[in-house]
């Protein structure tokens, strides 16, 4: 972990592209401190094997596959940083990318903040990527970076919804939930990661927003800043339940067969 101080946060970041898009450096923060209880008993979700390799390693390689990304910060379980460092040493990772492991916090939000704190100066663009999205294509990563370089303070990859969505009134467990509305799904998107940010904007969001949120873009929204979308990819799904792991294995097997992945 670097002892260098953070660049001073900008209280009201100015809209517009980063200072020099051609030389802007990008770092990725991967929070991997969660247990992932919905996936069933066993190792933390990020360390579960996918095609014989931990999901975390797949996620790290997915970020490092982008030539824009020169640093990956892995936020490990609070007591598991040494284990994750050993894991990274055991697998082949790109030489042109630097890797740092830091212990995480009790929540995802805390872990991302600790990952931000570990970033040295000189990185203007920050990606935040779920370790549980191991198969995001490099084209998606590059599209997010490009949109930040073009001036967006926050960017999320997103997909249109295939299913009709119902808003319900919560009921007791096991009881039917009354439907209260049917939102227009053409206006809704399923959001993925990596989410990309102008660094000063993301640092300011983590220093300002105290509400519990499910993604970092929500924090930027609370600052009143614009969040934009780029096309997501169907293979960037989140491995949350056992069936997701089966699907991920199938995607990985197809890639290895067709693309030599």
């Amino acid at each position: 972990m670097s002892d260098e101080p953070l660049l001073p946060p900008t209280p009201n970041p100015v809209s517009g592209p980063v200072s020099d898009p051609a030389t802007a450096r990008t770092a990725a923060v991967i929070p991997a401190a969660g247990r992932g209880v919905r996936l069933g008993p066993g190792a933390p979700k990020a360390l579960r094997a996918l095609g014989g390799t931990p999901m975390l390693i797949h996620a790290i390689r997915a970020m490092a596959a982008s030539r824009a990304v020169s640093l990956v910060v892995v936020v490990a379980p609070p007591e598991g940083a040494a284990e994750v460092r050993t894991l990274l040493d055991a697998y082949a990772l790109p030489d042109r990318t630097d890797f740092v492991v830091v212990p995480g916090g009790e929540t995802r939000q805390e872990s991302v903040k600790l990952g931000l704190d570990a970033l040295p100066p000189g990185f203007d663009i920050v990606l935040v990527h779920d370790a549980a999205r191991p198969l995001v294509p490099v084209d998606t990563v590059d599209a997010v970076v490009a949109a930040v370089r073009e001036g967006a303070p926050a960017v999320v990859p997103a997909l249109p919804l295939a299913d009709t969505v119902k808003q319900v009134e919560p009921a007791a467990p096991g009881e039917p939930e009354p439907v209260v509305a049917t939102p227009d799904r053409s206006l809704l998107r399923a959001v993925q990661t990596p989410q990309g940010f102008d660094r000063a904007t993301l640092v300011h969001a983590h220093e300002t927003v105290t509400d519990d949120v499910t993604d970092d873009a929500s924090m930027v929204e609370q600052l009143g800043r614009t969040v934009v979308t780029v096309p997501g990819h169907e293979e960037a799904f989140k491995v949350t339940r056992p069936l997701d792991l089966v699907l991920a294995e199938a995607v990985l097997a197809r890639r290895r067969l067709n693309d030599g992945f």
Side-chain angles (χ1 to χ4, degrees):
M1 175 174 174
S2 171
D3 293 328
E4 297 280 356
L6 281 173
L7 293 175
T10 305
N12 293 292
V14 178
S15 297
V18 293
S19 55
D20 187 351
T23 60
R25 300 176 71 197
T26 300
V29 174
I30 302 181
R35 293 294 307 178
V37 294
R38 284 178 291 179
L39 199 56
K45 177 165 59 175
L47 303 184
R48 299 290 180 93
L50 172 60
T53 300
M55 279 200 293
L56 175 59
I57 298 298
H58 287 289
I60 293 170
R61 287 173 174 168
M63 295 300 98
S66 171
R67 293 193 172 276
V69 176
S70 53
L71 173 65
V72 176
V73 177
V74 180
V75 188
E79 306 300 325
E83 179 184 359
V84 171
R85 289 190 189 100
T86 299
L87 185 69
L88 266 60
D89 290 339
Y91 286 88
L93 298 171
D95 292 335
R96 60 181 169 76
T97 307
D98 293 326
F99 302 92
V100 175
V101 179
V102 297
E106 293 301 317
T107 67
R108 183 187 186 280
Q109 202 163 328
E110 291 175 6
S111 292
V112 173
K113 177 62 166 60
L114 289 167
L116 287 173
D117 290 345
L119 292 179
F123 289 91
D124 299 314
I125 298 172
V126 180
L127 306 180
V128 181
H129 182 57
D130 295 332
R133 296 184 190 270
L135 301 176
V136 57
V138 67
D139 287 351
T140 301
V141 181
D142 289 342
V144 171
V145 174
V148 180
R149 283 181 169 169
E150 290 167 4
V155 181
V156 296
L159 291 176
L161 298 183
D163 296 321
T164 298
V165 176
K166 299 291 185 183
Q167 181 181 341
V168 301
E169 181 178 322
E175 294 295 320
E177 295 178 322
V179 172
V180 297
T182 303
D184 181 356
R185 73 180 183 191
S186 69
L187 303 178
L188 302 176
R189 298 292 182 269
V191 173
Q192 302 173 325
T193 69
Q195 299 184 353
F197 304 90
D198 166 76
R199 177 178 177 164
T201 299
L202 184 59
V203 169
H204 181 48
H206 274 272
E207 292 179 341
T208 305
V209 177
T210 58
D211 296 345
D212 188 23
V213 297
T214 56
D215 73 346
D216 297 272
S218 299
M219 302 175 74
V220 174
E221 290 173 45
Q222 291 190 41
L223 298 180
R225 305 301 308 278
T226 299
V227 178
V228 302
T229 68
V230 296
H233 196 280
E234 61 183 5
E235 293 181 2
F237 61 89
K238 191 173 185 178
V239 178
T240 302
R241 296 178 173 83
L243 185 59
D244 300 326
L245 191 57
V246 173
L247 178 58
E249 292 278 6
V251 171
L252 186 59
R254 180 192 57 76
R255 285 187 182 183
R256 286 174 171 168
L257 179 63
N258 295 341
D259 308 324
F261 176 82

